[in-house]
Short mmCIF file of all heavy atoms in Angstrom, two decimals:
data_model
loop_
_atom_site.label_atom_id
_atom_site.label_comp_id
_atom_site.label_asym_id
_atom_site.label_seq_id
_atom_site.Cartn_x
_atom_site.Cartn_y
_atom_site.Cartn_z
N GLY A 43 14.16 0.10 15.45
CA GLY A 43 15.17 -1.00 15.14
C GLY A 43 16.28 -0.46 14.31
O GLY A 43 16.05 0.36 13.38
N GLY A 64 -3.97 -9.58 19.03
CA GLY A 64 -3.45 -9.51 20.33
C GLY A 64 -2.63 -8.26 20.63
O GLY A 64 -2.45 -7.75 21.61
N PHE A 78 11.03 13.26 -2.79
CA PHE A 78 10.72 14.32 -3.55
C PHE A 78 11.93 15.30 -3.52
O PHE A 78 12.47 15.41 -2.37
CB PHE A 78 9.41 14.94 -3.05
CG PHE A 78 8.20 14.23 -3.34
CD1 PHE A 78 7.60 13.63 -2.24
CD2 PHE A 78 7.66 14.14 -4.56
CE1 PHE A 78 6.39 12.84 -2.49
CE2 PHE A 78 6.52 13.42 -4.84
CZ PHE A 78 5.89 12.76 -3.74
N HIS A 91 4.85 20.51 6.18
CA HIS A 91 4.48 19.97 7.47
C HIS A 91 3.25 20.71 8.01
O HIS A 91 2.41 20.08 8.58
CB HIS A 91 5.66 20.15 8.48
CG HIS A 91 6.61 19.04 8.25
ND1 HIS A 91 7.88 19.07 8.99
CD2 HIS A 91 6.78 18.00 7.44
CE1 HIS A 91 8.63 18.04 8.61
NE2 HIS A 91 7.96 17.30 7.78
N PHE A 93 0.97 22.04 6.26
CA PHE A 93 -0.25 21.71 5.45
C PHE A 93 -0.70 20.30 5.86
O PHE A 93 -1.89 20.06 6.07
CB PHE A 93 0.33 21.62 4.07
CG PHE A 93 -0.69 21.43 3.05
CD1 PHE A 93 -2.10 21.74 3.19
CD2 PHE A 93 -0.43 20.67 1.80
CE1 PHE A 93 -3.00 21.46 2.14
CE2 PHE A 93 -1.38 20.34 0.87
CZ PHE A 93 -2.67 20.75 1.03
N ASP A 133 -4.54 27.10 -3.31
CA ASP A 133 -5.32 26.47 -4.36
C ASP A 133 -5.96 25.13 -3.89
O ASP A 133 -7.07 24.86 -4.09
CB ASP A 133 -4.52 26.21 -5.65
CG ASP A 133 -4.06 27.52 -6.33
OD1 ASP A 133 -4.81 28.61 -6.09
OD2 ASP A 133 -3.09 27.51 -7.05
N GLY A 143 -18.00 20.68 0.16
CA GLY A 143 -19.29 21.62 0.10
C GLY A 143 -19.36 22.64 1.13
O GLY A 143 -20.31 23.04 1.61
N SER A 173 -14.58 43.40 7.97
CA SER A 173 -13.29 43.42 8.72
C SER A 173 -13.52 43.96 10.04
O SER A 173 -12.77 43.77 11.04
CB SER A 173 -12.27 44.22 7.89
OG SER A 173 -12.82 45.40 7.49
N LYS A 184 -14.78 40.88 -4.44
CA LYS A 184 -14.92 40.40 -5.84
C LYS A 184 -13.80 39.45 -6.29
O LYS A 184 -14.01 38.37 -6.81
CB LYS A 184 -15.07 41.59 -6.78
CG LYS A 184 -15.88 41.31 -7.93
CD LYS A 184 -16.10 42.62 -8.80
CE LYS A 184 -16.41 42.24 -10.30
NZ LYS A 184 -16.28 43.43 -11.09
N PHE A 186 -11.74 37.87 -4.36
CA PHE A 186 -11.69 36.67 -3.53
C PHE A 186 -12.72 35.69 -3.98
O PHE A 186 -12.48 34.44 -4.05
CB PHE A 186 -11.89 37.03 -2.07
CG PHE A 186 -11.83 35.76 -1.17
CD1 PHE A 186 -10.64 35.03 -0.93
CD2 PHE A 186 -12.99 35.32 -0.69
CE1 PHE A 186 -10.67 33.97 -0.15
CE2 PHE A 186 -12.99 34.13 0.10
CZ PHE A 186 -11.80 33.48 0.28
N TYR A 198 -3.44 36.79 -7.43
CA TYR A 198 -2.91 37.24 -6.10
C TYR A 198 -1.38 37.22 -6.22
O TYR A 198 -0.74 36.29 -6.68
CB TYR A 198 -3.27 36.21 -5.06
CG TYR A 198 -4.73 36.46 -4.62
CD1 TYR A 198 -5.67 35.49 -4.56
CD2 TYR A 198 -5.09 37.80 -4.16
CE1 TYR A 198 -7.00 35.63 -4.16
CE2 TYR A 198 -6.40 37.99 -3.79
CZ TYR A 198 -7.42 36.97 -3.77
OH TYR A 198 -8.61 37.15 -3.30
N ASN A 199 -0.79 38.38 -5.74
CA ASN A 199 0.68 38.36 -5.58
C ASN A 199 1.12 37.61 -4.31
O ASN A 199 0.25 37.12 -3.60
CB ASN A 199 1.21 39.70 -5.60
CG ASN A 199 0.69 40.60 -4.45
OD1 ASN A 199 0.53 40.07 -3.33
ND2 ASN A 199 0.48 41.84 -4.67
N ILE A 210 -5.66 30.26 6.36
CA ILE A 210 -5.86 28.83 6.23
C ILE A 210 -5.26 28.09 7.48
O ILE A 210 -5.73 27.13 7.95
CB ILE A 210 -5.10 28.33 5.02
CG1 ILE A 210 -5.81 28.81 3.70
CG2 ILE A 210 -4.94 26.77 4.98
CD1 ILE A 210 -5.08 28.55 2.45
#
Side-chain angles (χ1 to χ4, degrees):
F78 290 106
H91 283 173
F93 185 34
D133 291 339
S173 54
K184 206 171 156 195
F186 180 71
Y198 281 126
N199 62 34
I210 291 171

